[in-house]
Amino acid sequence: MASPSPRRHALPPPGHHRRTLSSTLVDESVAAAAALVHKWHPDDAPAGGSLFLHGAEEDEARRFLRAAADLHRAMLFFASDVAHGSSHGLVEAQALLQTAMRRLDLELRVLLDDIDSIQSDHAADASRSRNNICAVAEAMMAAGYGKECISTFKTRRRAALTASLRRLLGFSPPVDHLHKITWDQLDARIIPSWLAAATAAFGSLFPAEKDLCDAVFAGDNAAVGEAVFAAVANDQATGLLAVTEAAAARARRAPERLFRVLDVHDALTEALPALLSVFGDGSEVAARAALSVAKVGEAARGALGSLEAAIQKEPSKATAAGGAVHPLTRYVMNYVVFLADYKEGLALLYDYDYDSDSSEQASPSVIHRLVSALLSKLEAKAGCYREAALSYLFLANNTRYVANKVAGSGQLRGVLGDGWAEAQSAKARAHVGVYVRAAWGKVTSLCTQQGGAEPEAVEAAVMESVGMQEQWVAADDETGEALRAAATAAVVPKYRMFYRRHGAAVRLTPGDVTAMIAALFGGPLDLVSQRHQEDPNPYRDPTRSPRQLFT
């Protein structure tokens, strides 16, 4: 019987061989990763510094990231091979991975805090810091630690944004108890800070935060980035918008608060494009911004409507003594001079088709309406004077004041039109002409009366006219000069002819009449003595005022 042939040693199944080889490689990668993880153990962070900062080798940071990825792959390998006794390897890899993720979470915190301290002129450092943040976040997300990564990112960036806004504003939005803050508190502190910071906040801070979110959560994680940015920035943005709504609510249709409201409206509309670009047209913040714009606009229109109504309701019988410029005229014109600085914002508020290069508009502006309401009220007030001359003096003074205000303001002149002030000046000159005829008509009529009036009657008429006007006033020196010049031109030539006809029978010389007119409306009294030297009269007492000479 033949002896049996020797048995050949069978080779291990190919699958088993590959498993053994793979296990060896995985064990080696875990061992290498363990050494690096232990070196940069998160519990030793204060002494060990940072992987990415404080002089650590950049290559070692990259090796740590690869080690974290190796541990994640090892964990997956061991999890699929537990039937062959790899549970110990799974536990070890998972523990090491958790430690590595703790370290990366710590690094993420440090990097997120550090990026705000980098000066804007160090672009290379800022770019390197952002790349490091992206690399750490990517490693954490890939290893299944996305929830922890997102939580850390939101917490740190929300705190950083709050701190940046606090430095910019002087307070942190949302402002606590904003509904309890008075207008004076808003006006003194909060609104000025908001105005100074709104453009920078919506134009720089929020876009920078959005760029960081987009960079860290890119690609398949873009939707995550949108949600993270909303969690970081929405409350801060709506807190800023709440300040504008508080300003609108406290304005209470009060005209004296309008300019603050217009400042807020201008700043808000200026920041709106950047806000919509960052947060998106359909976002919660965009909806809140649209509501804020509407509320601020409503408050501004309400304040202007209140002013227009107040002008119209001003009692017509409340006239100005001596035909002076009425306080209402000064208030309204000073108001509209400032208001004209907001012409572009007003065009948005009232949907004007305003062309900054032309005074032509499709419809009258609110400034037109306010000035028109004022002029109508001045006409009504003028009718309440008992003396016709004083009525027209009042109109001349107030119309001249209005015209000068418009002429002196380039913005207001641009709104009302270049010819508007000139037209008002022409009206003022016409009022002066009517005033002179009303105030001096009796004198000129007697001087030119057929057959000649009695000298006593003419002199009495002169004294009556002068006495009537002694307490009347001119809007300004220019208007006073125009009034005196017009009266002199209308009266003195006729009186001189009368004086020549009656000679010594007339005690008042033409020089006396000229001096009396010259002393009206704040004119120089020393003209009286000058006229006495030019045109002496034996009945004249140079120590007496023009009004007292013949009384």
Side-chain angles (χ1 to χ4, degrees):
M1 181 175 178
S3 60
S5 58
R7 295 181 60 187
R8 294 182 178 179
H9 295 287
L11 294 173
H16 176 72
H17 175 74
R18 286 194 298 272
R19 184 190 65 78
T20 303
L21 181 60
S22 298
S23 296
T24 300
L25 294 174
V26 170
D27 288 341
E28 290 175 353
S29 69
V30 169
L36 203 54
V37 168
H38 290 315
K39 178 180 178 182
W40 290 95
H41 197 285
D43 294 341
D44 299 332
S50 168
L51 264 166
F52 296 89
L53 303 174
H54 312 138
E57 293 183 7
E58 186 173 350
D59 182 62
E60 188 155 19
R62 299 302 168 210
R63 288 194 294 113
F64 191 95
L65 293 175
R66 286 195 297 272
D70 289 343
L71 288 171
H72 184 242
R73 283 191 293 270
M75 192 181 73
L76 295 177
F77 174 84
F78 289 131
S80 66
D81 203 34
V82 290
H84 296 86
S86 300
S87 59
H88 173 73
L90 173 62
V91 172
E92 182 184 11
Q94 187 174 22
L96 286 169
L97 182 62
Q98 287 177 343
T99 303
M101 289 300 109
R102 284 175 54 208
R103 179 75 211 193
L104 289 183
D105 186 74
L106 179 62
E107 293 292 337
L108 183 60
R109 294 168 187 264
V110 172
L111 289 169
L112 288 172
D113 292 343
D114 179 70
I115 196 170
D116 290 319
S117 66
I118 299 175
Q119 299 297 323
S120 59
D121 55 347
H122 291 79
D125 291 342
S127 177
R128 185 182 303 110
S129 181
R130 175 172 294 200
N131 290 339
N132 288 335
I133 291 171
C134 291
V136 171
E138 183 180 0
M140 293 183 70
M141 301 278 282
Y145 283 76
K147 182 178 179 180
E148 290 79 359
C149 173
I150 291 170
S151 176
T152 295
F153 189 95
K154 288 193 298 188
T155 300
R156 307 308 285 192
R157 293 317 303 163
R158 189 185 292 118
L161 183 59
T162 299
S164 296
L165 286 171
R166 185 186 299 113
R167 287 192 298 271
L168 197 60
L169 290 162
F171 59 86
S172 299
V175 180
D176 292 336
H177 310 299
L178 189 58
H179 62 287
K180 296 182 179 179
I181 294 178
T182 66
W183 170 262
D184 289 340
Q185 292 171 319
L186 277 173
D187 186 49
R189 183 176 68 90
I190 293 179
I191 293 178
S193 297
W194 188 95
L195 291 171
T199 300
F202 288 115
S204 298
L205 284 183
F206 289 113
E209 208 62 46
K210 181 66 161 58
D211 288 345
L212 182 61
C213 284
D214 290 345
V216 173
F217 303 100
D220 294 340
N221 293 317
V224 174
E226 293 288 340
V228 169
F229 175 69
V232 168
N234 276 17
D235 286 348
Q236 309 293 341
T238 54
L240 282 174
L241 294 172
V243 173
T244 71
E245 295 167 12
R250 304 298 187 282
R252 298 184 182 276
R253 301 176 66 88
E256 66 274 12
R257 299 178 181 179
L258 172 67
F259 297 107
R260 272 293 192 219
V261 176
L262 289 177
D263 286 336
V264 170
H265 182 266
D266 282 359
L268 187 55
T269 53
E270 181 181 349
L272 197 58
L275 182 151
L276 296 177
S277 175
V278 172
F279 290 92
D281 293 347
S283 65
E284 173 190 341
V285 174
R288 183 67 176 269
L291 179 63
S292 297
V293 170
K295 287 183 176 180
V296 173
E298 182 181 358
R301 288 188 293 270
L304 286 165
S306 293
L307 176 58
E308 187 174 3
I311 295 170
Q312 294 167 344
K313 294 177 181 178
E314 163 78 7
S316 298
K317 292 183 179 180
T319 56
V325 176
H326 198 280
L328 178 67
T329 307
R330 296 184 187 277
Y331 178 83
V332 173
M333 292 312 300
N334 286 327
Y335 196 97
V336 297
V337 164
F338 286 112
L339 193 59
D341 290 337
Y342 299 87
K343 60 184 180 183
E344 288 83 5
L346 292 172
L348 292 175
L349 281 172
Y350 288 91
D351 196 24
Y352 295 148
D353 184 17
Y354 184 85
D355 181 358
S356 59
D357 296 327
S358 170
S359 61
E360 296 297 325
Q361 298 183 31
S363 59
S365 70
V366 65
I367 294 178
H368 274 98
R369 295 207 312 267
L370 292 173
V371 176
S372 295
L374 171 64
L375 294 176
S376 296
K377 181 56 62 175
L378 293 176
E379 291 280 353
K381 286 180 177 295
C384 295
Y385 287 100
R386 287 182 294 181
E387 300 91 348
L390 188 53
S391 295
Y392 285 99
L393 174 62
F394 173 80
L395 288 174
N397 279 331
N398 284 267
T399 306
R400 170 73 70 179
Y401 183 88
V402 170
N404 287 345
K405 277 293 184 180
V406 177
S409 168
Q411 294 281 31
L412 185 55
R413 190 169 63 250
V415 172
L416 296 175
D418 289 333
W420 195 92
E422 185 177 342
Q424 294 304 309
S425 293
K427 287 183 179 179
R429 289 192 295 271
H431 292 321
V432 169
V434 179
Y435 146 76
V436 170
R437 290 193 294 273
W440 295 95
K442 184 176 180 180
V443 173
T444 57
S445 176
L446 288 172
C447 286
T448 57
Q449 182 177 303
Q450 290 292 333
E454 293 295 327
E456 293 80 2
V458 175
E459 290 172 349
V462 170
M463 300 308 298
E464 179 184 354
S465 182
V466 170
M468 176 179 66
Q469 299 177 68
E470 276 188 330
Q471 300 302 315
W472 295 359
V473 297
D476 49 44
D477 291 342
E478 181 184 1
T479 303
E481 183 60 34
L483 290 166
R484 291 189 294 269
T488 300
V491 176
V492 173
K494 293 181 175 61
Y495 188 85
R496 184 175 289 114
M497 293 175 60
F498 171 80
Y499 182 80
R500 288 172 180 170
R501 288 198 303 269
H502 292 81
V506 182
R507 292 184 299 169
L508 281 178
T509 68
D512 292 328
V513 175
T514 300
M516 289 179 179
I517 294 173
L520 296 173
F521 306 111
L525 290 174
D526 59 354
L527 283 179
V528 175
S529 59
Q530 293 177 22
R531 291 300 183 185
H532 175 64
Q533 295 171 6
E534 296 170 359
D535 193 0
N537 187 304
Y539 298 99
R540 185 144 194 326
D541 181 355
T543 64
R544 303 173 73 186
S545 71
R547 177 72 181 91
Q548 297 171 325
L549 282 176
F550 300 98
T551 57

